[in-house]
Amino acid sequence: MISRRKFFSNAAVAAGAAALGAATRSVQGAEPVGQSPENPEKNNRYAQSDQQDYPPGEPGKDYTPVITPNGSTLPYKVVGGVKIFHLVTEEIDHEFAPGLRAHCWGFNGQVHGPTIEVVEGDRVRIYVTNNLPENTSIHWHGVLVPSGMDGVGGLSQKTIEPGETYKYEFQLRQHGTYMYHSHSDDMVQIALGMMGMFIIHPRTPTGPKADRDFVLMSSEWRIDVGSMRPVPTEMTDFNVLTFNGRAFPGTAPLVAKYGDRVRIRFGNLSPMEHHPIHLHGFYWKITEMDGLQIPEAAQQPGNTVLVAVGQTRTVEFIADNPGDWAMHCHMTHHTMNQMGHNAPNLIGVRPGKLDKRVSKLLPGYMAMGESGMADMGEMGMPVPRNSIPMVGAPGKHDYIDMGGMFTIVKVRENLTSYDDPGWYENPPGTLASLASNDELQRDLGQIPDAQISARHEKSWRRQNVKIG
Ligand SMILES: [Cu+2]
């Protein structure tokens, strides 16, 4: 490959110093980020040639390793100054959440594959052994590699047949948050889970260091209730939504100490849908788009970041608000587990004696959803084996009727480890609670005479609370 330095020296020979100056300016003008016009070699992601050697970056010395909740980082060894990785594609019996497993495709026993973590300037050799029943090839999504290492089956390379091991080798000439995924029979292989995150740390870090550096990859699946195989031909009706291959309550919390600088690197390789990821309790700044660093003055603040299919977005915030904070896709159907979308709308329907009448014909029948659907998981309805329709999880205060692409950011003072600290203890006066009659009288001048909704009536009946 020709480095920019070589390109310029060739150009100078051919066209002279004046032309070089013009070319330098125009190329710089096209550069998206982080440029220093006075010193074009600095921060220039094309400046490293493949001939320039760097020692392999070491965890703890050259970078603080990332955390992949519910996942892991791919181990490597160094041979002759090159970092050696080995990915093995295979079918995996994967658990999405307690109660739901399916036969997926992934890497090294995991869905999704382990996070590849390297340092700018590292030279890597990645072996890919194909244990799938069909050909594959692996694309390094967003990583600047020679064309023949880009992994598009048929276009960049011959595909890897079952049983074969291919070798990819390149030097990393950039840093940021990237991904990898199958690029052969994409529709099937991505729908079955063939993807992972690819993190490149800067060789010379600038800016504040993150205390917690999390990696979260979004995906979506169609797994029919009671079945064990995601449907790869699904185009619109996904019913299992995941962070790092897990649906809530299967998602591990993201734990931070009060005051930590937290970085979260989102990637989305869902087959079809974009995900607006929303965090409660904080605002963040978007520091990277598709792995490219945004200059500080241009970093957008917010609390929701849209991560489109194929994109990565990196955010940073200071964990200055202790508590248990929801973080989730804000598409409401993406925080449900195995929600069927063809259910009749029963909200507001008064079933009356319908249940009794139908149950004579269908033992166990029960009209559902006439007062909303929040109760369904809690009621523990009998469901087919290996399914979690509408399931959420018991929370500290009540049942959490969320699922899918939902997790919890737990921020605590005085943490001694980053293990799950359990539920947050709310300091006195900081927890929403039932208003007393005295308070209502004092502040509203009346005690509201709310109609008991059907839902409360039902749940009170369950608890034998006397009503009416
Ligand atoms: Cu979503």
Side-chain angles (χ1 to χ4, degrees), residues 260-291:
D260 275 354
R261 173 174 285 269
V262 179
R263 179 184 295 145
I264 307 176
R265 304 164 184 262
F266 297 108
N268 180 14
L269 283 177
S270 302
M272 294 297 290
E273 290 171 311
H274 308 329
H275 303 294
I277 310 294
H278 174 58
L279 172 64
H280 296 214
F282 308 91
Y283 76 89
W284 56 38
K285 285 189 169 178
I286 302 172
T287 59
E288 273 185 7
M289 297 171 78
D290 295 341

Side-chain angles (χ1 to χ4, degrees), residues 133-393:
E134 68 166 344
N135 291 17
T136 192
S137 59
I138 306 301
H139 167 59
W140 320 101
H141 184 112
V143 181
L144 300 167
V145 298
S147 174
M149 294 291 170
D150 199 44
V152 180
L155 174 66
S156 328
Q157 66 168 91
K158 209 169 163 320
T159 53
I160 312 170
E161 288 182 26
E164 288 183 338
T165 297
Y166 264 53
K167 180 186 77 173
Y168 295 86
E169 181 164 341
F170 43 86
Q171 187 177 21
L172 299 158
R173 312 186 305 157
Q174 67 200 119
H175 60 267
T177 301
Y178 305 96
M179 305 187 279
Y180 64 93
H181 62 84
S182 154
H183 220 312
S184 290
D185 195 10
D186 298 33
M187 184 194 78
V188 167
Q189 296 191 8
I190 286 181
L192 294 181
M194 297 275 296
M195 59 191 83
M197 297 293 284
F198 196 120
I199 309 300
I200 313 174
H201 293 280
R203 178 63 56 168
T204 313
T206 54
K209 185 174 152 299
D211 299 295
R212 302 288 278 161
D213 194 342
F214 295 103
V215 174
L216 278 187
M217 175 167 248
S218 297
S219 192
E220 59 193 2
W221 316 68
R222 163 73 181 277
I223 304 172
D224 290 325
V225 167
S227 77
M228 290 286 286
R229 188 69 74 169
V231 181
T233 49
E234 182 55 56
M235 192 162 66
T236 55
D237 200 1
F238 299 94
N239 63 356
V240 177
L241 283 290
T242 54
F243 279 135
N244 290 346
R246 299 277 288 180
F248 185 80
T251 50
L254 279 56
V255 181
K257 270 188 208 127
Y258 177 79
D260 275 354
R261 173 174 285 269
V262 179
R263 179 184 295 145
I264 307 176
R265 304 164 184 262
F266 297 108
N268 180 14
L269 283 177
S270 302
M272 294 297 290
E273 290 171 311
H274 308 329
H275 303 294
I277 310 294
H278 174 58
L279 172 64
H280 296 214
F282 308 91
Y283 76 89
W284 56 38
K285 285 189 169 178
I286 302 172
T287 59
E288 273 185 7
M289 297 171 78
D290 295 341
L292 298 168
Q293 291 71 46
I294 303 169
E296 196 179 344
Q299 292 174 0
Q300 282 186 13
N303 53 43
T304 305
V305 61
L306 182 64
V307 192
V309 176
Q311 289 185 333
T312 72
R313 292 288 182 271
T314 303
V315 301
E316 290 186 17
F317 62 95
I318 304 297
D320 57 1
N321 197 356
D324 288 341
W325 302 105
M327 186 168 74
H328 57 97
C329 176
H330 220 293
M331 302 252 195
T332 56
H333 284 233
H334 292 181
T335 51
M336 305 297 302
N337 284 329
Q338 286 189 313
M339 169 77 190
H341 300 108
N342 294 319
N345 183 7
L346 293 178
I347 293 178
V349 168
R350 290 163 189 255
K353 293 188 176 125
L354 181 72
D355 276 6
K356 232 181 220 164
R357 287 180 195 160
V358 176
S359 66
K360 282 182 191 158
L361 301 169
L362 297 171
Y365 173 84
M366 189 170 158
M368 290 192 301
E370 66 277 8
S371 56
M373 301 187 187
D375 286 348
M376 290 186 178
E378 188 180 4
M379 285 158 70
M381 303 285 299
V383 296
R385 204 160 55 84
N386 192 49
S387 69
I388 50 171
M390 311 296 285
V391 167

